[in-house]
Amino acid sequence: MEYIIMAIIIIIVIAKVTGEDKKLKTKSDPNAEGYDNTRLTIEEKYNYEEIYLTGVNYYTSNIDKFMKKFPHPDWDNDKIDKLVHYKYYAQNNALVKLKNENHKNDPKAIKVTLNRRTIGYISRDQKSLVRKLTKIPNLVRAEIYGGPRKVYDPKKDKYIKSKDYNYTVRIYIEK
């Protein structure tokens, strides 16, 4: 009898994790049915708490792996009319996961992952607010922008690629 109950619990957990992964893939994969990259309107933003992640610059390569799915077609074109040109389109509706983590510097840290890769943390100042607004673990909406860019240099009359670059990740939690 105990084995049957244990088997049922395992099946339920596997089904829940699989469903969560499918939801995450749909929101974060431009080729998936149901993919949506629309921004929140000003009115919609009043219903959400905006939180910027910390430590994002340590996880640039993890974000690059996600962002490479969204290349800007004019990246190699130097005949564009912008002062700054980004390699990837900003993502306004990525789905990220908030997870508790027993980090060596912060035993009650909240880690943020995208496609099972760490992309940053909730700052110490905002952890209590996040815990008040949502349960953890949870999936929330995020905007990701920045990354590799070229800046127009009028003296040289050409674009110069940035060697150092950062991403900005902002998550939205419903109030």
Side-chain angles (χ1 to χ4, degrees), residues 2-170:
E2 291 176 13
Y3 293 115
I4 294 172
I5 293 171
M6 188 65 96
I8 291 170
I9 291 171
I10 290 171
I11 291 170
I12 291 170
V13 168
I14 290 171
K16 185 175 181 179
V17 168
T18 303
E20 222 173 66
D21 285 349
K22 188 180 272 186
K23 183 178 178 185
L24 206 151
K25 181 162 177 52
T26 299
K27 291 291 188 179
S28 302
D29 183 357
N31 301 317
E33 186 176 324
Y35 173 72
D36 178 14
N37 193 35
T38 56
R39 298 184 83 151
L40 290 174
T41 65
I42 299 295
E43 293 79 24
E44 289 173 322
K45 285 186 179 185
Y46 288 124
N47 297 324
Y48 291 88
E49 190 68 46
E50 292 181 358
I51 297 171
Y52 289 86
L53 300 189
T54 59
V56 172
N57 56 330
Y58 294 109
Y59 302 101
T60 301
S61 64
N62 290 345
I63 298 172
D64 278 338
K65 288 174 184 166
F66 171 73
M67 294 297 283
K68 71 180 179 183
K69 299 176 198 171
F70 311 100
H72 196 290
D74 290 331
W75 174 249
D76 294 324
N77 180 4
D78 282 342
K79 305 283 188 247
I80 51 177
D81 295 332
K82 297 180 180 177
L83 293 177
V84 179
H85 180 53
Y86 289 91
K87 185 174 185 175
Y88 305 117
Y89 283 111
Q91 292 306 294
N92 303 311
N93 199 13
L95 199 58
V96 297
K97 187 172 191 175
L98 305 178
K99 300 165 79 173
N100 288 313
E101 183 179 63
N102 187 0
H103 193 275
K104 65 181 181 180
N105 296 327
D106 184 2
K108 295 185 179 182
I110 301 174
K111 176 168 68 170
V112 181
T113 63
L114 174 64
N115 294 343
R116 297 187 180 143
R117 291 185 176 102
T118 302
I119 61 168
Y121 287 86
I122 302 297
S123 73
R124 290 178 193 252
D125 300 345
Q126 296 190 311
K127 280 190 307 188
S128 60
L129 173 64
V130 170
R131 290 186 195 283
K132 188 173 100 178
L133 292 174
T134 188
K135 63 182 173 113
I136 297 177
N138 195 9
L139 297 172
V140 297
R141 179 180 183 150
E143 287 183 351
I144 304 170
Y145 52 93
R149 64 185 173 277
K150 297 189 280 190
V151 179
Y152 182 72
D153 184 347
K155 291 179 183 174
K156 296 181 180 178
D157 191 32
K158 68 178 190 174
Y159 284 90
I160 309 295
K161 288 184 182 178
S162 63
K163 293 180 182 166
D164 297 321
Y165 62 88
N166 292 316
Y167 288 100
T168 300
V169 180
R170 175 175 45 207

